[in-house]
Amino acid sequence: MTTTVSGAASDARFIGETGLAADVAALAEPVLIDLGFRLVRVAISGREGTTVQIMAERPDGTITVQECAEISRNLSPVLDAHDPISGHYTLEISSPGIDRPLVRPSDFVDWVSYEAKIELKQLVSGRKRFRGVLEGVEDGEVRMQVDLDQIGRQVIGLPIGMIAEARLVLTDELIREALRRSKKEIAAEASGEDAAE
């Protein structure tokens, strides 16, 4: 099983926004990078007024509520100055969540052995949607173990360039891992505060 991705290419998002969300992403990403964060996704919705949701994380996949507030304080003036969205809107900064979108090749390595759903831009062997256990990235393909009709369990490779959308599947195992990482993050944050006092 290959689980490695090397170099800066593993950090580049292969899924990008379009339209207005792409304009917001172009403004938000440099601010996030300057603050030490990575952009995961920008989504704009019109439910109950316009909401601009920006998912972000540290390179290690963590983000705290305080860091979300810090991003908002730094990003709001940039969005106000460039005014990509006409009218009133609500800016929402959040973590990617437990059943997070997978937007970088490194995401598929970070979450090896967890279940994911992948939708392709076009049909491959008569299918666009695949669900299975991640096995990493090899030669520009996401490797995953899937149940294929009449063939059984098989490891397949899906070209990264053909992926339209990918996300983790919410399972008990994923929830346990998310809680474990959260506890580790809280402990690290607490020890950092102790050291600062």
Side-chain angles (χ1 to χ4, degrees), residues 13 17 19-44 52-57 68 70-85 89 91-94 104:
R13 290 186 318 141
E17 294 76 14
L20 192 53
D23 296 341
V24 172
L27 294 169
E29 195 155 26
V31 173
L32 291 169
I33 290 169
D34 285 349
L35 294 170
F37 296 92
R38 301 186 312 178
L39 176 63
V40 175
R41 187 186 79 187
V42 173
I44 299 175
V52 177
Q53 181 197 44
I54 297 175
M55 288 184 181
E57 65 186 357
C68 288
E70 177 188 5
I71 291 168
S72 183
R73 282 191 302 275
N74 283 274
L75 185 56
S76 289
V78 173
L79 294 177
D80 289 346
H82 292 275
D83 201 22
I85 300 164
Y89 64 91
L91 177 61
E92 179 183 293
I93 310 296
S94 70
R104 292 176 170 77

